[in-house]
Amino acid sequence: MIGEGDVIAALATAPGLGGVAVIRMSGEGVYALADRLTALRVPPSARPAGTFVYTRLLDAAGATLDDALMLFFRAPHSYTGEDTVELHVHGGRVVPEAVLERLWQLGARPANPGEFTQRAFLNGRLDLTQAEAVADLIAARTPRAERAARANLQGRLGAALEPLYEDTLALSAEVEHLLDFDEGELPEDFFTDARNRLEALSARTAALLATWHEGRLIREGALVVLAGKPNAGKSTLLNLLLGYDRAIVSDEPGTTRDALEETFLLDGVPLRLVDTAGLREAPGAIEREGVTRARALLAQADAVLYLIAANDEDTPPEGACVLRTKADLLPNGAAIANGDPIPSISATTAPEAARAVVCDALRAALRLGAGETAHATLANARQFAGLAEAEKALRQAETEFSKGEIGYVTAAQRLRAAAEALAEILGRTWSEDLLDRIFSSFCVGK
């Protein structure tokens, strides 16, 4: 746990070469410390919030450490909810390290990973989903991931979870209160009203739970494996999607012997495209190892694009997205005329059309919408697990309600469990271990 009131400091920008480095300080006593860092006629402690000043930072002997800007924030209107001072100093390694060393001499201590955001959470500036969105925003690999993280930072997920928690807690309290009545004293519409509300809560929870797939893809991306027999066109398709010749293409079977991985963005979602060795009884040890690795990747993939050459026959694995390649080898529209349900493409004669067909196939296989995500989405496994626990408890409460009076006590317990699971997602209840797990993955300056 963080120390209450102590001043923490850390570099808030990436270390190394750069024009400006930002050092953030926060905590009770930060202004007294800042006063000793400068020789301003109007000291930092006397300056209003939302202002800044150009000054010299001084070492213990009064010599200049650096020229800097100091920015002033006052509790509770700061990122952490505490008094905060930011120092904008020259970049590189030497100057920021010298300034930080001076701060340690003056009584500050190094911030733990994520400690600024942890203090913001503990001081009520953010709920736990917003705090997690800070790390997601920093780690975002695509503009779509950045926008999704920013929406959660602004409270979109919390706004969906908060009324769900409040309504579950309210129903739980009402059921517990009515348990004190005899069955004959219960309001006439009690059972019907409670059951309808419970069913609505379960449906809302299930709908939010269903966003985990989309949220995971936006945040983490997906593994897409290109598979098929040798010479099915896997390497050609990889090159087509990437827009350059990444894989060697040859008529000689077995050219690709090891998995070749590249990143491809589909509607703002990063896909790990993996070109694999052709699936066959390979004649050589190296190619056999490549086939073994290909089969292992098939088991891990979020989606499999299984390619079958137009002049060949094959049986794709169950669940694969199948495309017929080298359509230019077919007589005019033969596959379509014969009622072949497998889409046909030609990366050679119609590359743009082929690319469009492949992207549509990937969207369908990954259940990925092409547009921006307008609704709240779960962002990580912790949120998914907590909401799954809440949904399970709500379903169990429904089952208990169906038993009549004998199930009311258990139903009330299940409702309470659902509310507690939702409370932990939002950070209404938390443990030190939970906060340690979340914030230890943050960068130090955040």
Side-chain angles (χ1 to χ4, degrees):
M1 281 296 297
I2 62 176
E4 293 185 6
D6 54 349
V7 177
I8 56 172
L11 188 64
T13 48
L17 297 177
V20 175
V22 177
I23 296 173
R24 175 182 287 165
M25 303 185 292
S26 182
E28 184 181 343
V30 71
Y31 277 97
L33 186 153
D35 286 350
R36 298 169 60 196
L37 187 61
T38 69
L40 288 166
R41 187 175 63 236
V42 179
S45 58
R47 294 180 179 269
T51 63
F52 65 92
V53 65
Y54 169 78
T55 185
R56 291 183 302 116
L57 307 182
L58 308 178
D59 65 13
T64 299
L65 279 172
D66 193 30
D67 301 299
L69 287 179
M70 299 185 84
L71 283 70
F72 308 113
F73 307 87
R74 300 281 182 174
H77 305 296
S78 70
Y79 178 74
T80 61
E82 304 170 328
D83 286 342
T84 301
V85 175
E86 283 188 1
L87 308 175
H88 292 208
V89 302
H90 287 93
R93 292 193 177 275
V94 175
V95 171
E97 288 178 0
V99 174
L100 285 169
E101 183 62 33
R102 178 59 178 150
L103 296 181
W104 314 150
Q105 294 173 0
L106 292 172
R109 67 164 175 83
N112 295 319
E115 188 168 353
F116 292 101
T117 303
Q118 184 173 349
R119 290 187 175 202
F121 163 69
L122 292 174
N123 289 323
R125 299 288 290 172
L126 305 169
D127 70 28
L128 209 47
T129 65
Q130 290 174 296
E132 290 172 310
V134 173
D136 291 341
L137 184 62
I138 295 170
R141 292 186 286 165
T142 69
R144 185 170 180 179
E146 179 270 334
R147 288 189 289 272
R150 189 174 298 281
N152 281 349
L153 178 57
Q154 293 170 346
R156 183 168 64 182
L157 180 56
L161 286 166
E162 190 72 31
L164 189 58
Y165 163 73
E166 295 289 352
D167 292 346
T168 301
L169 189 64
L171 182 56
S172 171
E174 289 177 33
V175 172
E176 290 176 357
H177 172 68
L178 290 169
L179 289 176
D180 294 333
F181 291 82
D182 292 332
E183 184 177 10
E185 298 176 322
L186 290 175
E188 291 184 5
D189 60 350
F190 165 70
F191 177 77
T192 300
D193 178 65
R195 185 176 60 183
N196 290 341
R197 289 166 63 188
L198 184 51
E199 289 175 353
L201 287 171
S202 296
R204 287 162 59 190
T205 305
L208 189 54
L209 197 60
T211 68
W212 164 238
H213 172 77
E214 182 180 3
R216 183 182 68 84
L217 290 184
I218 293 172
R219 183 173 182 262
E220 301 176 7
L223 172 62
V224 176
V225 174
L226 307 180
K229 287 183 179 180
N231 283 352
K234 301 183 293 298
S235 297
T236 299
L237 184 58
L238 177 70
N239 292 341
L240 173 67
L241 291 174
L242 296 179
Y244 63 93
D245 291 339
R246 175 64 179 89
I248 297 174
V249 176
S250 171
D251 292 333
E252 179 182 339
T255 301
T256 301
R257 299 187 177 187
D258 199 358
L260 184 64
E261 180 177 324
E262 289 293 335
T263 299
F264 171 67
L265 290 183
L266 177 64
D267 303 328
V269 174
L271 306 184
R272 294 169 51 205
L273 285 181
V274 183
D275 180 17
T276 60
L279 301 177
R280 66 170 179 171
E281 293 297 327
I286 294 177
E287 190 180 347
R288 281 198 299 273
E289 177 60 25
V291 172
T292 299
R293 295 185 181 187
R295 296 190 186 281
L297 284 165
L298 290 177
Q300 303 169 21
D302 293 290
V304 174
L305 276 182
Y306 197 87
L307 308 184
I308 303 175
N311 55 357
D312 197 4
E313 295 297 329
D314 197 359
T315 302
E318 185 177 352
C321 178
V322 186
L323 296 176
R324 194 174 297 284
T325 59
K326 304 184 180 181
D328 50 293
L329 299 180
L330 293 168
N332 292 335
I336 298 175
N338 294 334
D340 189 348
I342 302 175
S344 298
I345 62 172
S346 172
T348 303
T349 60
E352 290 304 315
R355 198 175 194 276
V357 170
V358 172
C359 289
D360 284 342
L362 284 172
R363 290 187 188 102
L366 294 169
R367 309 194 308 279
L368 180 66
E372 285 296 308
T373 303
H375 53 79
T377 55
L378 299 176
N380 58 52
R382 183 193 77 86
Q383 296 167 2
F384 172 78
L387 197 61
E389 183 180 342
E391 188 205 25
K392 179 181 177 181
L394 289 170
R395 295 297 183 191
Q396 290 172 336
E398 284 188 76
T399 300
E400 295 301 322
F401 257 106
S402 68
K403 298 176 182 178
E405 184 185 9
I406 193 174
Y408 289 173
V409 173
T410 307
Q413 294 171 346
R414 298 291 182 263
L415 279 166
R416 178 64 63 176
E420 289 172 354
L422 293 167
E424 188 167 286
I425 300 174
L426 288 163
R428 292 290 195 94
T429 60
W430 49 267
S431 66
E432 292 185 17
D433 286 344
L434 173 63
L435 297 191
D436 286 345
R437 286 198 305 273
I438 292 173
F439 293 105
S440 62
S441 63
F442 279 51
C443 58
V444 171
K446 202 62 178 176

